[in-house]
Amino acid sequence: TTAPFSFLSEKGCHVMSGTTDRCHDDEIISVIYFTCQIEPGNVNGLRSAQSSKSLRGTRESLAFTEGESNSFGSDSELNGYTSDRQTDKYGFIGGAQKYSEQLAEDVPPEVLRQREVKWLDMLNNWDKWMAKRHKKLKLRCQKGVPPSLRGRAWLYLSGGKVKREQHKGKFEDLDAQAGDPKWVDVIERDLHRQFPFHEMFVARGGHGQQDLFRVLKAYTLHRPEEGYCQAQAPIAAVLLMHMPAEDAFWCLVQICEKYLPGYYSAGLEAIQLDGEILYALLKRVSPVAHRHLKKHKMEPILYMTEWFMCAFSRTLPWASVLRVWDMFLCEGVKIIFRVGLVLLKCMLGSQDKLKTCQGQYETMELLKTIDSRYMQEGFLVHEVIELPVSEQDIEKEHLAQLRRWKEARGELHCKSPPRMHGAKAIMAAEPPSRQDLRQNPTIIVQPSVETKKAGEVVWEEGKGRRKTEEEKLGKKGSSTASEVAKPSPEASEPSPLLKDTPLQQSNQSLSSTEQDTYL
């Protein structure tokens, strides 16, 4: 089974195109054409897998060898990157995300601080907000999650937090296993292709690639019947830019099972079905674009596969990617449909724009090089919010297209679970407990008083050196040697002066739902 794909390098130039995005050993990859347009010096991540050292199978083999430097400079040079080390605010090196800085919206610091306070309140009372104030939560997702809280917000929105709490230790167990060699080999060859100009993934065998390997390998063990699909790698990479490996794994599980079920299964039936849904919705949204695509026999699978399977992470400027993901994880797949419809409408929605598209090839090239004006964060988000396409519209069209599919091709080979339209639907389907939603601190601060044995110096936070027990007993002159050997009650309990300090009993205070625990 084949499906078309087209990848762009992080410099925005066309790197490769072909006819498959699925890797199964029973499938034959058939490449239609291959082109390379690489700027001098920008070969990061595009060299063949054979030129790199083997990343065979385990975390240990991915780790640096003894004595090998893991500094940013040496790692990047090992990966073929020798340019300057300047990064943008998203972590991309050397202007790889060239549109992000110019087209991103600047949020004033004071507004950002206010939004952070609001999001902290929502995260501390997540179940109440989801049940009673979901519309307000959705509005705040549309405005954009504050960068400092985006990883935590995505974990809660997707239901990954609940999954992690309900399956404690599972990721560690999967991580400790060797993995199926069939999938391990394919994953290893894909690691250096994921955002090769991002500082997290620039180093071959670096920490970013190690975590990406761990997450993808764990998923193949979690869903052995599904295995690994190449389009899962950029999804996992985006998640790892915002959260630790275990959290990224559970978010990936939720995206694959709840938001986009069947997208990464053998045969790509789900993505083909959604392509037909997109095509049908386009007829209502932009009849001009629909007629043009129909005239030139442009099957949806030709242009929307990468958009949907990678959730636009390889298509849009990074500022727009993050805003789309904020809304996607809150409202579900309808956001992905809306983004696709907006781009098609903007690029093909008028006769003037179609003058240069006289055939299938020209149309494909146009859709590969979308005008940056239409991808600008503010413009795109506004158009997506205003587009009148609901989950009911998608489900109605899904039933119609499923009927046609069965009439033409028979039953689906891959039975996918029902699609969940956003965070509220996921929570309603699997109601969590308050304990599942409780925020756990990243770092536990130990009590400030360190108790030592009798005869040793007792230190207190902010008070310095105390007298030893022997000095005290010497002044009193009434204690025996046997009494000196006993620990002082004062040394075993915190001083009354310290009971009101913020560090006292930090294990409890940092875990409290009344305190922010984000670090």
Side-chain angles (χ1 to χ4, degrees):
T1 304
T2 60
F5 67 87
S6 175
F7 291 106
L8 299 181
S9 75
E10 295 303 326
K11 283 289 183 182
C13 56
H14 184 212
V15 176
M16 71 173 72
S17 301
T19 59
T20 187
D21 200 20
R22 184 71 207 172
C23 286
H24 278 281
D25 56 352
D26 58 345
E27 295 173 1
I28 301 175
I29 296 178
S30 173
V31 177
I32 292 179
Y33 61 92
F34 178 91
T35 59
C36 281
Q37 298 172 9
I38 306 171
E39 297 176 18
N42 292 332
V43 295
N44 177 36
L46 299 177
R47 293 196 283 185
S48 64
Q50 287 78 9
S51 65
S52 66
K53 63 182 180 181
S54 173
L55 298 178
R56 178 63 54 189
T58 62
R59 247 185 319 177
E60 289 74 16
S61 63
L62 281 169
F64 291 103
T65 56
E66 185 176 356
E68 183 180 354
S69 171
N70 66 345
S71 68
F72 177 83
S74 60
D75 284 348
S76 58
E77 289 166 7
L78 284 171
N79 199 21
Y81 182 85
T82 57
S83 183
D84 61 63
R85 302 176 186 180
Q86 185 176 2
T87 62
D88 64 15
K89 64 181 180 180
Y90 304 108
F92 288 94
I93 303 167
Q97 276 284 333
K98 58 184 178 180
Y99 297 123
S100 287
E101 293 294 333
Q102 300 95 320
L103 303 182
E105 290 185 335
D106 289 327
V107 180
E110 58 274 13
V111 175
L112 206 55
R113 297 293 87 80
Q114 292 172 5
R115 290 181 179 177
E116 286 173 343
V117 171
K118 293 174 181 178
W119 269 95
L120 288 171
D121 175 62
M122 289 195 299
L123 291 167
N124 284 328
N125 301 280
W126 190 252
D127 52 340
K128 296 178 182 177
W129 276 87
M130 290 294 292
K132 299 178 181 179
R133 304 193 65 187
H134 180 259
K135 287 185 178 180
K136 188 68 174 178
L137 188 150
K138 183 173 76 172
L139 181 62
R140 289 178 179 174
C141 287
Q142 291 173 351
K143 289 181 178 179
V145 180
S148 61
L149 297 171
R150 183 165 271 127
R152 186 142 54 117
W154 285 1
L155 188 65
Y156 273 74
L157 286 166
S158 67
K161 165 76 165 110
V162 175
K163 281 285 185 182
R164 188 189 72 186
E165 295 301 322
Q166 292 176 348
H167 299 84
K168 286 185 177 180
K170 182 167 184 178
F171 176 74
E172 287 81 359
D173 293 341
L174 297 173
D175 190 30
Q177 298 178 38
D180 188 331
K182 172 181 65 176
W183 299 124
V184 164
D185 182 62
V186 179
I187 292 170
E188 287 173 347
R189 285 186 271 122
D190 278 349
L191 292 178
H192 69 284
R193 301 187 180 106
Q194 311 311 320
F195 304 105
F197 291 111
H198 191 279
E199 60 184 353
M200 188 172 179
F201 302 105
V202 68
R204 284 180 181 268
H207 295 295
Q209 290 192 11
Q210 290 183 47
D211 282 347
L212 183 58
F213 175 82
R214 293 169 61 205
V215 170
L216 295 174
K217 184 199 73 173
Y219 187 84
T220 64
L221 294 168
H222 176 68
R223 285 283 178 266
E225 72 283 0
E226 188 170 291
Y228 166 70
C229 176
Q230 287 177 321
Q232 289 172 316
I235 297 288
V238 174
L239 295 170
L240 283 169
M241 292 178 195
H242 295 87
M243 60 189 75
E246 182 177 10
D247 293 350
F249 167 75
W250 287 115
C251 278
L252 178 66
V253 167
Q254 291 296 92
I255 289 172
C256 295
E257 295 180 359
K258 301 292 195 299
Y259 289 84
L260 308 173
Y263 267 37
Y264 310 104
S265 300
L268 302 177
E269 292 175 326
I271 192 70
Q272 293 180 62
L273 203 58
D274 276 1
E276 296 301 327
I277 296 171
L278 178 72
Y279 189 60
L281 293 172
L282 182 64
K283 185 176 182 180
R284 191 183 76 187
V285 172
S286 179
V288 174
H290 181 271
R291 281 196 301 270
H292 178 79
L293 294 174
K294 185 177 181 180
K295 175 183 176 182
H296 295 290
K297 295 185 171 71
M298 293 280 294
E299 294 293 328
I301 199 79
L302 292 172
Y303 52 83
M304 55 76 67
T305 304
E306 184 183 90
W307 290 357
F308 278 52
M309 294 187 77
C310 300
F312 290 96
S313 61
R314 287 184 171 273
T315 306
L316 302 173
W318 205 248
S320 301
V321 169
L322 298 178
R323 293 290 299 278
V324 166
W325 277 51
D326 290 343
M327 295 185 291
F328 164 57
L329 292 175
C330 178
E331 302 180 52
V333 77
K334 73 177 180 185
I335 297 298
I336 302 298
F337 277 97
R338 287 183 184 180
V339 174
L341 291 168
V342 167
L343 296 181
L344 289 169
K345 179 183 177 181
C346 289
M347 295 301 291
L348 304 172
S350 69
Q351 294 299 333
D352 290 339
K353 295 172 182 176
L354 296 177
K355 288 179 181 178
T356 58
C357 298
Q358 300 302 315
Q360 188 180 93
Y361 177 80
E362 290 81 7
T363 303
M364 280 296 297
E365 288 301 308
L366 187 67
L367 293 177
K368 287 176 187 175
T369 55
I370 297 171
D371 193 321
S372 60
R373 293 176 298 168
Y374 306 132
M375 299 190 293
Q376 191 268 338
E377 179 186 354
F379 173 86
L380 181 63
V381 170
H382 177 267
E383 292 295 313
V384 167
I385 293 172
E386 293 298 317
L387 196 67
V389 173
S390 66
E391 50 260 35
Q392 288 81 14
D393 296 329
I394 293 171
E395 285 304 313
K396 181 180 177 181
E397 196 58 47
H398 179 268
L399 293 175
Q401 295 301 331
L402 189 59
R403 241 183 351 258
R404 292 173 190 168
W405 178 287
K406 290 179 179 179
E407 290 171 1
R409 314 187 197 186
E411 292 290 333
L412 294 171
H413 293 93
C414 181
K415 299 293 183 182
S416 303
R419 178 153 50 196
M420 300 289 178
H421 288 278
K424 188 174 183 179
I426 291 172
M427 180 173 276
E430 300 175 355
S433 67
R434 290 298 299 271
Q435 185 65 30
D436 293 336
L437 295 171
R438 184 180 179 184
Q439 298 185 63
N440 299 316
T442 306
I443 298 174
I444 303 293
V445 181
Q446 297 299 326
S448 58
V449 178
E450 180 178 345
T451 305
K452 296 189 177 182
K453 292 180 180 180
E456 295 179 350
V457 180
V458 179
W459 294 85
E460 283 188 23
E461 188 74 24
K463 293 187 69 176
R465 185 180 183 279
R466 265 187 148 192
K467 293 180 180 180
T468 62
E469 294 298 322
E470 288 86 353
E471 289 172 339
K472 290 183 181 179
L473 295 169
K475 284 187 177 182
K476 291 181 179 179
S478 59
S479 298
T480 63
S482 61
E483 290 174 330
V484 173
K486 297 179 181 180
S488 168
E490 293 181 0
S492 63
E493 297 179 2
S495 168
L497 295 175
L498 292 173
K499 287 184 179 179
D500 294 328
T501 61
L503 289 177
Q504 185 62 32
Q505 296 179 340
S506 59
N507 287 6
Q508 288 76 23
S509 63
L510 281 174
S511 299
S512 171
T513 56
E514 298 178 358
Q515 300 291 330
D516 171 42
T517 61
Y518 180 80
L519 295 172

PDB file of all heavy atoms in Angstrom, residues 251-265:
ATOM      1  N   CYS A 251       1.360  11.390  25.617  1.00  0.00           N
ATOM      2  CA  CYS A 251       0.679  12.303  24.691  1.00  0.00           C
ATOM      3  C   CYS A 251       0.618  11.698  23.291  1.00  0.00           C
ATOM      4  O   CYS A 251      -0.404  11.817  22.600  1.00  0.00           O
ATOM      5  CB  CYS A 251       1.417  13.642  24.633  1.00  0.00           C
ATOM      6  SG  CYS A 251       1.007  14.766  25.974  1.00  0.00           S
ATOM      7  N   LEU A 252       1.704  11.054  22.859  1.00  0.00           N
ATOM      8  CA  LEU A 252       1.718  10.393  21.556  1.00  0.00           C
ATOM      9  C   LEU A 252       0.668   9.288  21.504  1.00  0.00           C
ATOM     10  O   LEU A 252      -0.046   9.139  20.497  1.00  0.00           O
ATOM     11  CB  LEU A 252       3.111   9.821  21.275  1.00  0.00           C
ATOM     12  CG  LEU A 252       3.269   9.049  19.958  1.00  0.00           C
ATOM     13  CD1 LEU A 252       3.106   9.980  18.759  1.00  0.00           C
ATOM     14  CD2 LEU A 252       4.626   8.341  19.902  1.00  0.00           C
ATOM     15  N   VAL A 253       0.559   8.521  22.588  1.00  0.00           N
ATOM     16  CA  VAL A 253      -0.449   7.458  22.655  1.00  0.00           C
ATOM     17  C   VAL A 253      -1.848   8.052  22.481  1.00  0.00           C
ATOM     18  O   VAL A 253      -2.674   7.532  21.714  1.00  0.00           O
ATOM     19  CB  VAL A 253      -0.349   6.695  23.996  1.00  0.00           C
ATOM     20  CG1 VAL A 253      -1.566   5.807  24.213  1.00  0.00           C
ATOM     21  CG2 VAL A 253       0.925   5.863  24.036  1.00  0.00           C
ATOM     22  N   GLN A 254      -2.119   9.153  23.165  1.00  0.00           N
ATOM     23  CA  GLN A 254      -3.441   9.778  23.074  1.00  0.00           C
ATOM     24  C   GLN A 254      -3.719  10.320  21.677  1.00  0.00           C
ATOM     25  O   GLN A 254      -4.833  10.186  21.159  1.00  0.00           O
ATOM     26  CB  GLN A 254      -3.556  10.900  24.107  1.00  0.00           C
ATOM     27  CG  GLN A 254      -3.591  10.424  25.550  1.00  0.00           C
ATOM     28  CD  GLN A 254      -4.818   9.589  25.860  1.00  0.00           C
ATOM     29  OE1 GLN A 254      -4.802   8.360  25.747  1.00  0.00           O
ATOM     30  NE2 GLN A 254      -5.890  10.242  26.231  1.00  0.00           N
ATOM     31  N   ILE A 255      -2.730  10.940  21.055  1.00  0.00           N
ATOM     32  CA  ILE A 255      -2.920  11.479  19.705  1.00  0.00           C
ATOM     33  C   ILE A 255      -3.203  10.347  18.721  1.00  0.00           C
ATOM     34  O   ILE A 255      -4.106  10.437  17.877  1.00  0.00           O
ATOM     35  CB  ILE A 255      -1.687  12.300  19.271  1.00  0.00           C
ATOM     36  CG1 ILE A 255      -1.619  13.611  20.074  1.00  0.00           C
ATOM     37  CG2 ILE A 255      -1.732  12.608  17.771  1.00  0.00           C
ATOM     38  CD1 ILE A 255      -0.349  14.402  19.858  1.00  0.00           C
ATOM     39  N   CYS A 256      -2.440   9.261  18.838  1.00  0.00           N
ATOM     40  CA  CYS A 256      -2.598   8.134  17.906  1.00  0.00           C
ATOM     41  C   CYS A 256      -3.897   7.356  18.140  1.00  0.00           C
ATOM     42  O   CYS A 256      -4.472   6.816  17.190  1.00  0.00           O
ATOM     43  CB  CYS A 256      -1.403   7.183  18.012  1.00  0.00           C
ATOM     44  SG  CYS A 256       0.164   7.903  17.487  1.00  0.00           S
ATOM     45  N   GLU A 257      -4.347   7.290  19.379  1.00  0.00           N
ATOM     46  CA  GLU A 257      -5.510   6.466  19.699  1.00  0.00           C
ATOM     47  C   GLU A 257      -6.814   7.246  19.803  1.00  0.00           C
ATOM     48  O   GLU A 257      -7.881   6.692  19.526  1.00  0.00           O
ATOM     49  CB  GLU A 257      -5.261   5.723  21.016  1.00  0.00           C
ATOM     50  CG  GLU A 257      -4.124   4.717  20.944  1.00  0.00           C
ATOM     51  CD  GLU A 257      -3.899   4.001  22.264  1.00  0.00           C
ATOM     52  OE1 GLU A 257      -4.627   4.307  23.245  1.00  0.00           O
ATOM     53  OE2 GLU A 257      -2.995   3.160  22.327  1.00  0.00           O
ATOM     54  N   LYS A 258      -6.751   8.510  20.192  1.00  0.00           N
ATOM     55  CA  LYS A 258      -7.963   9.282  20.433  1.00  0.00           C
ATOM     56  C   LYS A 258      -8.201  10.360  19.381  1.00  0.00           C
ATOM     57  O   LYS A 258      -9.306  10.514  18.885  1.00  0.00           O
ATOM     58  CB  LYS A 258      -7.907   9.939  21.823  1.00  0.00           C
ATOM     59  CG  LYS A 258      -7.762   8.972  22.980  1.00  0.00           C
ATOM     60  CD  LYS A 258      -9.011   8.125  23.153  1.00  0.00           C
ATOM     61  CE  LYS A 258      -9.048   7.408  24.488  1.00  0.00           C
ATOM     62  NZ  LYS A 258      -7.962   6.475  24.732  1.00  0.00           N
ATOM     63  N   TYR A 259      -7.170  11.121  19.051  1.00  0.00           N
ATOM     64  CA  TYR A 259      -7.334  12.240  18.122  1.00  0.00           C
ATOM     65  C   TYR A 259      -7.295  11.794  16.665  1.00  0.00           C
ATOM     66  O   TYR A 259      -8.107  12.239  15.850  1.00  0.00           O
ATOM     67  CB  TYR A 259      -6.241  13.288  18.360  1.00  0.00           C
ATOM     68  CG  TYR A 259      -6.386  14.068  19.638  1.00  0.00           C
ATOM     69  CD1 TYR A 259      -5.907  13.558  20.848  1.00  0.00           C
ATOM     70  CD2 TYR A 259      -6.989  15.308  19.658  1.00  0.00           C
ATOM     71  CE1 TYR A 259      -6.031  14.268  22.025  1.00  0.00           C
ATOM     72  CE2 TYR A 259      -7.121  16.044  20.828  1.00  0.00           C
ATOM     73  CZ  TYR A 259      -6.639  15.516  22.013  1.00  0.00           C
ATOM     74  OH  TYR A 259      -6.763  16.227  23.177  1.00  0.00           O
ATOM     75  N   LEU A 260      -6.336  10.943  16.335  1.00  0.00           N
ATOM     76  CA  LEU A 260      -6.137  10.514  14.941  1.00  0.00           C
ATOM     77  C   LEU A 260      -6.100   8.991  14.846  1.00  0.00           C
ATOM     78  O   LEU A 260      -5.136   8.415  14.337  1.00  0.00           O
ATOM     79  CB  LEU A 260      -4.826  11.104  14.385  1.00  0.00           C
ATOM     80  CG  LEU A 260      -4.639  12.621  14.533  1.00  0.00           C
ATOM     81  CD1 LEU A 260      -3.233  13.019  14.104  1.00  0.00           C
ATOM     82  CD2 LEU A 260      -5.677  13.379  13.718  1.00  0.00           C
ATOM     83  N   PRO A 261      -7.124   8.283  15.302  1.00  0.00           N
ATOM     84  CA  PRO A 261      -7.079   6.812  15.298  1.00  0.00           C
ATOM     85  C   PRO A 261      -7.013   6.264  13.880  1.00  0.00           C
ATOM     86  O   PRO A 261      -7.721   6.716  12.988  1.00  0.00           O
ATOM     87  CB  PRO A 261      -8.389   6.423  15.989  1.00  0.00           C
ATOM     88  CG  PRO A 261      -9.297   7.594  15.787  1.00  0.00           C
ATOM     89  CD  PRO A 261      -8.414   8.796  15.805  1.00  0.00           C
ATOM     90  N   GLY A 262      -6.129   5.289  13.704  1.00  0.00           N
ATOM     91  CA  GLY A 262      -6.003   4.640  12.406  1.00  0.00           C
ATOM     92  C   GLY A 262      -5.081   5.339  11.430  1.00  0.00           C
ATOM     93  O   GLY A 262      -4.759   4.775  10.378  1.00  0.00           O
ATOM     94  N   TYR A 263      -4.630   6.555  11.747  1.00  0.00           N
ATOM     95  CA  TYR A 263      -3.768   7.298  10.818  1.00  0.00           C
ATOM     96  C   TYR A 263      -2.454   6.573  10.550  1.00  0.00           C
ATOM     97  O   TYR A 263      -1.914   6.662   9.446  1.00  0.00           O
ATOM     98  CB  TYR A 263      -3.456   8.687  11.392  1.00  0.00           C
ATOM     99  CG  TYR A 263      -4.403   9.776  10.950  1.00  0.00           C
ATOM    100  CD1 TYR A 263      -5.761   9.528  10.795  1.00  0.00           C
ATOM    101  CD2 TYR A 263      -3.946  11.056  10.698  1.00  0.00           C
ATOM    102  CE1 TYR A 263      -6.632  10.524  10.401  1.00  0.00           C
ATOM    103  CE2 TYR A 263      -4.807  12.071  10.301  1.00  0.00           C
ATOM    104  CZ  TYR A 263      -6.148  11.798  10.159  1.00  0.00           C
ATOM    105  OH  TYR A 263      -7.002  12.794   9.755  1.00  0.00           O
ATOM    106  N   TYR A 264      -1.940   5.886  11.547  1.00  0.00           N
ATOM    107  CA  TYR A 264      -0.596   5.315  11.429  1.00  0.00           C
ATOM    108  C   TYR A 264      -0.622   3.793  11.310  1.00  0.00           C
ATOM    109  O   TYR A 264       0.387   3.131  11.515  1.00  0.00           O
ATOM    110  CB  TYR A 264       0.237   5.756  12.642  1.00  0.00           C
ATOM    111  CG  TYR A 264       0.168   7.249  12.865  1.00  0.00           C
ATOM    112  CD1 TYR A 264      -0.622   7.792  13.883  1.00  0.00           C
ATOM    113  CD2 TYR A 264       0.850   8.125  12.030  1.00  0.00           C
ATOM    114  CE1 TYR A 264      -0.705   9.162  14.070  1.00  0.00           C
ATOM    115  CE2 TYR A 264       0.777   9.499  12.209  1.00  0.00           C
ATOM    116  CZ  TYR A 264      -0.010  10.013  13.224  1.00  0.00           C
ATOM    117  OH  TYR A 264      -0.098  11.376  13.396  1.00  0.00           O
ATOM    118  N   SER A 265      -1.779   3.257  10.970  1.00  0.00           N
ATOM    119  CA  SER A 265      -1.917   1.816  10.795  1.00  0.00           C
ATOM    120  C   SER A 265      -1.601   1.419   9.359  1.00  0.00           C
ATOM    121  O   SER A 265      -1.586   2.267   8.448  1.00  0.00           O
ATOM    122  CB  SER A 265      -3.344   1.367  11.150  1.00  0.00           C
ATOM    123  OG  SER A 265      -3.652   1.681  12.487  1.00  0.00           O
TER     124      SER A 265
END
